[in-house]
Amino acid sequence: MNILVIGGGGREHTLAWKLAQSPSATKLYAIPGNPGMAAVAECVSGISIEDNEAVVAFAEEHAIDLAVIGPEVPLTNGIVDAFEAAGILAFGPRKAAAELEGSKAFSKGLMKKYGIPTAKYEVFTDAEAAKDYVRQEGAPIVIKADGLAAGKGVIVAETCDEALAAVADIMEDQEFGAAGNRVVIEEFMEGEEASLLCFTDGETIVPMISSQDHKRAYDGDKGPNTGGMGTYAPAPVMTPAMIEATKEKILKPVIAAMKQEGRTYQGCLYAGLMITKDGPKVVEFNARFGDPETQVVLPLLKSDLVDIMVACAKGDGSLKDLDIAWSDGAAVCVVLASGGYPKSYRKGYEITGLDEAEKLGCHVFHAGTAERDGSVVTAGGRVLGVVAEAADVRAAVDKAYQGVNVIDFKDKMFRHDIAHRALERQS
Ligand code: AMP
Ligand code: GLY
């Protein structure tokens, strides 16, 4: 099969790396891809992944059999619908189903209608009404821009003043642009967070191995929210009972609800969870693989990813007959970021030590890199994900940090405590 991966971050590098291991993958392309992905895929520049027509035209010219969409923006732009109209199989939800991530107001409304556990909330289009609600509810409270804001449009306010300032930043000063025309204000949920991704064909759901992201920029979960500074899998907080509860109370009901609403959901559904004293509750749904969750989940998948994706995309009922197996071990991903991320940072610095890290047995997934005069340079906030697999989390952490230590670039920044929650539970 000829396979096209859409996107060029760490998640897409991992997807391409895993897809390339399938005996069914004859040729892989990536738009735009990145220097790391070039080892397994032909990277195509000059086509915007937000231009559905151009992407589909490329796929037709190159006889693509399966398109795999990484990021949320093409999904909410309807790229899967465009592939489908051209008769090309595509892994990911259609536009109407991707609303589950594209609009927090939609997803919260759906959860309320179908009784899926999540935080209590209200939606506002008027800043004064939003501020009144904050004053009435008090802190801690959570303020979210409604649209897509690259994981940064959420403020967990500890005080009322902080919450009021967040409303003003989002609604009056448009800090996240049009994504802030509506805000969702939510009850603060206390607990430990975890992610459970699943494959689905719209009917059957197959949970992946659980994982945990580290969204704050600095050690000890301090500092601003980022797209994710590191992950590990599996997450011990997701005990077999908790996974079962998530499946029965969240994943199955939401997939059934989407079908009921005429928005059949196929692809990967990402449930961001808070494990509260009352059980798992939804923090958010994403219509795609997580980044950097993918970097730890897919290395632990023992089955053929192409077969799974084809079954999900076809929606012909074959997913339920696949035998999908996971490794018993653990994986850890440490993100190497550019100093200053998630705020302003410089790029264009040469990266050394990539081969040495691979020699130590790590997988180095590229996120924000570029090629310049034959060397790899930094080109984004999150630059690399250094991933190690081992028999347990402790060993995977040690191996990943060995990889981290041999890679260097100016202003290299990373968290030193990835997987601390799992390690604390072990000790
Ligand atoms: P989101 O983009 O919705 O995943 O939110 C980003 C982060 O904000 C989450 O990973 C949580 O750490 C935090 N967060 C979001 N909503 C809540 C909530 N209702 N209660 C507590 N923390 C939250
Ligand atoms: N790691 C969080 C996300 O992909 O949204």
Side-chain angles (χ1 to χ4, degrees), residues 3 129 164 174 194 262-263 331 348 360:
I3 302 174
L164 295 172
Q174 300 252 303
R263 297 173 185 257
L360 290 171

Side-chain angles (χ1 to χ4, degrees), residues 120 133-134 137-143 155-163 185-190:
K120 184 183 103 173
Y133 182 73
V134 165
E137 292 294 311
I141 194 160
V142 183
I143 317 290
I155 293 98
V156 178
E158 313 275 347
T159 65
C160 218
D161 285 346
E162 211 182 312
I185 303 187
E186 270 186 22
E187 162 200 12
F188 174 78
M189 294 185 286
E190 205 169 323

Side-chain angles (χ1 to χ4, degrees), residues 104 142 144 154 156 186-189 193 215 283-284:
K104 291 194 190 286
V142 183
K144 302 185 173 187
V154 174
V156 178
E186 270 186 22
E187 162 200 12
F188 174 78
M189 294 185 286
E193 275 183 80
K215 293 205 171 146
V283 177
E284 62 167 351

Side-chain angles (χ1 to χ4, degrees), residues 196-209:
L196 192 65
L197 284 64
C198 70
F199 293 111
T200 179
D201 59 359
E203 209 47 79
T204 298
I205 56 148
V206 180
M208 301 185 209
I209 215 157

